[in-house]
């Protein structure tokens, strides 16, 4: 009998927590999860990149077939909101280290893509980001200087951003393949609507103040600008889908610049 | 102008990287990016002013999934730097800074698409190694794509600034419209985009329109008091 045959077969170690250094390494890599985003595998390589520090804890080590098969599996196509991908990374790290069957992990990966994308888009891109942005514009309109405006925006936004990534990693790790139930969290379910209401209020409040600050004093001019804003906003809403507003604004402002130079 | 090119390129690269690749902390939002560029030139308040106008326009283009959107990070650096080089804010300076930013954002969006195609090509070339679970291939691909994104943003910011900075100076010398009126046109366009974007984003939320109107009333009352 050979020495290899006598060697004990490593069994998956059921961990209660990831080592602190591994958690830090995964968290830092999560910030770069979209680094190799592309139209073929989307976030796939990023998921493998983030999971790699956790896979190093596999009992057979980084040169084993087990490690290579796990890394290859985790680097395939994946799509999710970049912040909520941390839920997937935590859950997949748990599943791989617990020795779940590969087919089960692959099915789980596929099932997780949709919900993590749509929840994140509604909560962050259509809620938290515009809200923080409008709040910062309100602070700007109220006379805030560069340091104050940037501090309000960056601190508030990133409390949500980093908090969500940390929560996702912990929740994913704690729940493993049962993480779907955690997505029913009230913040994820009802948060977008509440944040949306706050953002609507902030829009109304911030815009006249920001206009006033950029144009400078003069109520007649401000009144004219506000009326024009409301009328053209309704026109832009009607144009929805036919032309993007930022492109239209480029054409309008370029035409105005040409007129002003030629005038 | 030429002495500013290297720091602007570096800032453009860093903030271009933040848009998608790393760390997506929204330091690439126009409000932040233009202010940082203004600070680099020595006039942060100018950067903040142009950043606020750009931020209103950028509210329309949120980075949903794989959608194509303008790249605001490098673009706002260009706009902030151009406006800050004219700290007395002569007529035409803000308009030209915004036009420069919007044009750069447009080209930046296109370069992002090209970069994503290039990333796919690099991933395909490493397919065998990735399928074999090579640790080196996974890390190498991630770092290569991020480096390319940084260079993309840096080159874009430098080229755009080199093009638009002299163009802006020439336009300011020939500008024939009143300064306040010119600025009013810019903010009217920017705020119209912001309001229409908000109406679209919050369309399905009950009570959002009333909250918007309530906010508007309070905002106007504050202006009256001020």
């Amino acid at each position: 009998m050979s020495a290899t045959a006598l060697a004990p077969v490593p069994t998956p170690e059921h961990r209660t927590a990831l080592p602190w250094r591994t958690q830090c390494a995964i968290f830092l890599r999560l910030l770069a999860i979209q680094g190799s985003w592309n139209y073929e595998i989307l976030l796939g390589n990023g998921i493998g990149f983030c999971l790699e520090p956790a896979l190093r804890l596999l009992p057979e080590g980084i040169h084993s077939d087990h490690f290579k098969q796990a890394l290859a599996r985790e680097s395939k196509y994946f799509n999710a909101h970049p912040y909520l991908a941390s839920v997937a990374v935590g859950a997949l790290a748990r599943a791989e280290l617990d020795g779940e069957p590969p087919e089960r992990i692959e099915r789980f990966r596929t099932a997780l893509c949709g919900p993590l994308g749509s929840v994140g888009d509604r909560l962050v891109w259509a809620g938290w980001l515009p809200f923080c942005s409008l709040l910062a514009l309100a602070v700007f309109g109220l006379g805030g200087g560069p340091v104050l405006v940037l501090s309000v925006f960056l601190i508030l936004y990133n409390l949500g951003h980093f908090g969500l990534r940390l929560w996702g990693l912990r929740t994913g790790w704690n729940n493993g393949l049962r993480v779907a139930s955690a997505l029913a969290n009230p913040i994820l379910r009802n948060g977008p609507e509440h944040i949306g209401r706050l953002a609507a209020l902030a829009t109304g409040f911030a815009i006249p103040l920001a206009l006033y600050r950029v144009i400078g004093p003069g109520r007649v001019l401000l009144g004219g600008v506000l009326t024009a804003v409301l009328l053209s906003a309704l026109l832009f809403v009607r144009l929805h889908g036919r032309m993007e507003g930022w492109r239209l604004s480029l054409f309008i402002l370029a035409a105005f610049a040409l007129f002003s130079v030629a005038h | 102008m030429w002495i500013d090119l290297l720091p602007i390129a570096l800032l453009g690269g860093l903030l271009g990287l933040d848009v998608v690749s790393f760390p997506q902390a929204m330091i690439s939002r126009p409000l932040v990016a233009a202010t940082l560029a203004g600070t680099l030139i020595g006039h942060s308040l100018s950067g903040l002013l142009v950043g606020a106008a750009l931020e209103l326009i950028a509210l329309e283009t949120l980075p949903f999934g794989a959608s194509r959107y303008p790249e605001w990070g490098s673009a706002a650096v260009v706009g902030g730097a151009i406006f800050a080089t004219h700290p007395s804010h002569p007529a035409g300076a803000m308009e030209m800074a915004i036009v420069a930013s919007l044009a750069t954002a447009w080209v930046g969006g296109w370069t992002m698409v090209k970069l994503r195609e290039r990333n796919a090509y690099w991933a395909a070339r490493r397919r065998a190694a990735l399928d074999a679970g090579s640790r080196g291939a996974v890390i190498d691909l991630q770092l290569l794509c991020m480096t390319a994104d940084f260079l993309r943003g840096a080159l874009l910011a430098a080229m755009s600034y080199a093009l638009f900075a002299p163009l802006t100076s020439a336009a300011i010398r020939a500008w024939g419209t009143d300064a306040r009126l010119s600025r009013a046109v810019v903010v009217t366009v920017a705020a119209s985009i912001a309001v229409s974007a908000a109406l679209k984003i919050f369309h399905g939320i009950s009570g959002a329109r009333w909250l918007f109107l309530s906010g508007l009333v309070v905002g106007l009352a504050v202006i009256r008091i001020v």
Side-chain angles (χ1 to χ4, degrees), chain A residues 37-61:
Chain A
W37 201 100
N38 64 73
Y39 294 117
E40 298 296 322
I41 54 170
L42 282 72
L43 270 183
N45 196 69
I47 295 282
F49 177 71
C50 294
L51 271 169
E52 192 268 336
L55 297 181
R56 283 186 226 157
L57 302 171
L58 284 167
E60 303 95 323

Side-chain angles (χ1 to χ4, degrees), chain B:
Chain B
M1 186 200 105
W2 299 109
I3 215 159
D4 299 326
L5 212 54
L6 183 64
I8 284 168
L10 290 175
L11 189 64
L14 277 176
L15 302 188
L17 196 64
D18 178 71
V19 176
V20 171
S21 298
F22 177 83
Q24 278 205 307
M26 293 303 137
I27 48 174
S28 54
R29 286 303 289 180
L31 192 64
V32 183
T35 309
L36 292 177
T39 309
L40 205 63
I41 300 293
H43 212 268
S44 56
L45 194 62
S46 301
L48 181 65
L49 279 172
V50 83
L54 282 169
E55 185 70 33
L56 289 168
I57 300 173
L59 277 172
E60 190 205 26
T61 51
L62 298 165
F64 287 106
S67 60
R68 296 179 179 197
Y69 40 82
E71 196 263 90
W72 293 111
S74 323
V77 167
V78 173
I82 286 178
F83 193 53
T85 49
H86 303 279
S88 59
H89 304 163
M94 183 177 268
E95 294 68 26
M96 289 304 295
I98 301 267
V99 167
S101 289
L102 289 170
T104 310
W106 195 337
V107 177
W110 176 79
T111 60
M112 272 172 62
V113 171
K114 291 292 150 201
L115 179 70
R116 288 167 172 188
E117 287 170 5
R118 176 54 54 172
N119 290 350
Y121 169 75
W122 284 327
R125 280 189 59 184
R126 286 163 179 76
R127 175 56 43 216
L130 293 172
D131 286 346
S134 160
R135 184 171 168 254
V138 170
I139 295 170
D140 171 54
L141 178 63
Q142 202 75 6
L143 297 181
L144 173 68
C145 297
M146 285 166 66
T147 308
D149 196 15
F150 172 81
L151 291 174
R152 179 200 61 79
L155 275 174
L156 179 67
M159 288 166 72
S160 179
Y161 184 73
L163 174 72
F164 281 104
L167 204 63
T168 302
S169 300
I172 289 170
R173 282 195 294 274
W175 201 267
T177 311
D178 170 69
R180 286 194 70 213
L181 183 66
S182 299
R183 229 186 250 198
V185 170
V186 170
V187 291
T188 302
V189 171
S192 306
I193 306 286
V195 173
S196 70
L199 290 176
K200 279 182 260 176
I201 295 171
F202 313 126
H203 176 67
I205 297 171
S206 63
R209 281 184 191 183
W210 290 110
L211 285 164
F212 167 74
L213 288 173
S214 311
L216 191 64
V217 170
V218 177
L220 289 171
V222 170
I223 291 173
R224 208 176 161 79
I225 293 164
V226 170

Side-chain angles (χ1 to χ4, degrees), chain A residues 134-145 148-150 152 205-206 209 213:
Chain A
L134 287 158
L135 199 69
L137 282 171
V139 173
F140 162 77
L142 288 168
L148 181 65
V149 174
L150 264 55
V152 166
F205 182 67
L209 289 167
R213 175 98 188 261

